[in-house]
Amino acid sequence: MFSRSASLFFWMGVAAIAGYWLQPNYGHLLGAFFVCLFTVIKDLWKGQKITQWLRHNSVKEPPQMDGIWGDLIDRMRRILNEQRKQTKNEEQKLQDFLLAIQASPNGVVLIDPEGRIEWCNQTAALHLGMDAKRDLMQHVVHLVRDPVFKKYFSSESHDGEVIIDGRSGSLQKTVKLSVQLHNYGENRQLLLTRDVTSIAQAEVMRRDFVANVSHEIRTPLTVMSGFIETLQSLNLNKDEQEKYLDLMSVQASRMQDLVNDLLILSQLEGSTLPSVSEPVSLQGLMSSIESEARGLSSSQLFENEAPQTIQFETPQGVQLSGANKELHSAVSNLVNNAVRYTPSGGLITSSWALLPDQRIQFSVTDTGPGIASEHLPRLTERFYRVDRSRSRESGGTGLGLAIVKHVMQRHGGELKIESELGKGSKFTLIFPASRVFLETEAA
Ligand code: ADP
């Protein structure tokens, strides 16, 4: 600043001397005036260039000036750079924030005080069947036409959530959506959507399961309480009493079987996955299952009936790693089903085979009634039975195949069911090669 004033005075002095030399009366005044005028014009020109530079906002190419203007430009450039950096940072933060909301598995919709959609993420657009760009500034109730939502949106307080039908990727598939509104800012609203289809399905399954269990337990309980009443109210002789007590014991063991199977299922759901390194002796497993099956077969044989033929083939030189109790449960369920559903004189064959890819398979084949193909996909559902009375008569709980499926899933294997009505059935368990130990390896 000082040097600029000094330079101005210097040039004014030089111009004044030169003017005086040319014109002694007023030349010195004219000289000083022209220097001032020149300085003002030069400053105006420089100011104009700086204004243009600022207007075009090209921080990278500032006009080249020296002195006080150069300092000014330098400072401005630094301030502008700083501001640019700040704005870029803020923009980046906003982008990250929006990306995070986009990545959310839940839908987010921002609604303005007039009820119009200001912004929504892709999940919300998918859930509510909207277009995240085209439908901006549309009134939300024009797009979400579910009457439950309309009522919820127009109510004063938005306590809790409502469940409405939403959409998923494909237009055919509807999903259950939990929708919740929250107030924020000045009369703005945040709409959150969450796909609760699986929760709703699990809830339906839970309710069905409880209803099924209650029904399964109530039936033998009702029968038993009828017998107890009879025993209490009638004066029965010893033989009659024994007959009733036998019938009661059948009902009690039905309840016991049901509770046992329920416990097995809950243990399967809650316990850690079976080890891949603990070999189970298939010979030991099969010999106990065989004696159980033969016992069951003779217990259901009536006088003058031809007995069932049961053939057991025990594998040699192979071990299977897994949970002994679970494997026993899976294999015995299949074998016992074959015994229970095959009429007298029928043939039940069980065998093990090592497949070429080192997997191992267990199959049980029977000459029973067979199962119609429409039932096959549902057989492993809990309490699903093809013939209810046949299942109950033979002491079935309706949980056997559900247990088998669960055990196989836990062992990384699969259950295959082949059956033809009137021709018998074949149930196969296939275990992965990673669980198979050839005895030469195990030794
Ligand atoms: P349950 O205790 O009723 O036998 P499961 O889950 O073991 O229940 O079997 C489900 C249904 O599958 C049975 O009710 C029965 O109708 C059918 N089923 C199972 N095994 C056989 C089989 N070997 N032959 C014919 N039907 C079978």
Side-chain angles (χ1 to χ4, degrees), residues 98 150 351 373 408:
L98 290 178
K150 282 189 176 179
S351 62
S373 58
M408 291 314 286

Coordinates of all heavy atoms in Angstrom, one line a residue, residues 98 150 351 373 408:
L98 N -26.4 -40.3 1.0 CA -27.4 -40.8 0.2 C -27.2 -42.2 -0.3 O -28.1 -43.1 -0.4 CB -27.6 -39.9 -1.1 CG -28.2 -38.5 -0.8 CD1 -28.2 -37.7 -2.0 CD2 -29.6 -38.6 -0.1
K150 N -53.7 -45.0 3.6 CA -54.4 -43.7 3.5 C -54.9 -43.2 4.8 O -54.7 -42.1 5.2 CB -55.5 -43.8 2.5 CG -55.0 -43.7 1.0 CD -56.2 -43.6 0.1 CE -55.6 -43.5 -1.3 NZ -56.7 -43.4 -2.3
S351 N -30.6 -100.5 2.3 CA -29.2 -100.7 1.9 C -28.4 -99.5 1.9 O -28.9 -98.4 1.9 CB -29.2 -101.3 0.5 OG -29.8 -100.4 -0.4
S373 N -48.3 -88.5 -6.3 CA -47.2 -87.5 -6.6 C -47.5 -86.1 -6.0 O -46.6 -85.4 -5.6 CB -46.9 -87.4 -8.0 OG -48.1 -87.1 -8.7
M408 N -30.8 -84.1 7.7 CA -30.0 -84.1 6.4 C -29.5 -82.7 6.1 O -28.3 -82.5 5.7 CB -30.9 -84.6 5.3 CG -31.2 -86.0 5.4 SD -29.8 -87.1 5.8 CE -28.9 -87.1 4.3

